[in-house]
Amino acid sequence: MTDELSTLRGAVRDGVAAIANLANVLGSRRVGPRVIARALPEVRGGCLSLGGAIERLRAEMPAVLEHDAAGQAATDEMLEQASIRVAELAVELERQEHQPLDARERLALDATVRRVAAELAGVVRALDLLSVAVSTRATSLERSDVLSQKRTLMGAPSGPFTLAG
């Protein structure tokens, strides 16, 4: 993936981490309502940034997967769903910002945030796998390592190979 895509992937990873951190804060018995009240607007702002990063990443993916129509469609759908989840979470956080959070509402918000965080963590993992799959990196191998593996696989089907340099 290009540097721009790596940067966008990092922004998505950071945004998802912020949501996961909010889930930890909401689930902690040691964190009071004032701390949560201060955290909600910050995470909501992070959701807006995360949504923008997802949309920019979504716009870049057709160029990355230009020869894979099925991959393009699947990636687009995954990122579209992620964008929808982030937008829904931002709306929920904004709604909670303007009212006191009692225990029942805190538990409900915690469940929502955890669900979204888990879904988005799956998106991050899929993006990591995708970046590995589309990256072309040269790997240095020692001739002796290659030849030793060739010898240990005697009898196994293989084709000729050329060692350069």
Side-chain angles (χ1 to χ4, degrees), residues 62-79:
V64 173
L65 300 169
E66 63 186 337
H67 300 296
D68 184 0
Q72 282 182 30
T75 303
D76 188 63
E77 183 177 341
M78 175 186 71
L79 293 174

Side-chain angles (χ1 to χ4, degrees), residues 93-129:
L93 293 176
E94 184 175 29
R95 188 178 70 77
Q96 294 295 341
E97 283 176 34
H98 302 296
Q99 62 187 17
L101 203 59
D102 66 20
R104 185 177 45 97
E105 289 167 335
R106 181 174 173 166
L107 289 172
L109 182 59
D110 180 33
T112 299
V113 171
R114 286 186 187 282
R115 180 182 47 80
V116 171
E119 289 176 16
L120 294 175
V123 170
V124 168
R125 286 190 297 275
L127 289 172
D128 289 344
L129 289 172

Side-chain angles (χ1 to χ4, degrees), residues 19 22 26 39-47 86-98 109 113:
I19 292 169
L22 176 61
L26 287 167
L40 294 181
E42 289 178 26
V43 176
R44 183 176 55 82
C47 284
V86 170
E88 290 171 350
L89 181 59
V91 168
E92 180 63 18
L93 293 176
E94 184 175 29
R95 188 178 70 77
Q96 294 295 341
E97 283 176 34
H98 302 296
L109 182 59
V113 171

Side-chain angles (χ1 to χ4, degrees), residues 145-158:
D145 291 339
V146 173
L147 293 174
S148 70
Q149 293 301 312
K150 178 71 173 161
R151 281 190 218 109
T152 61
L153 297 175
M154 290 303 210
S158 64

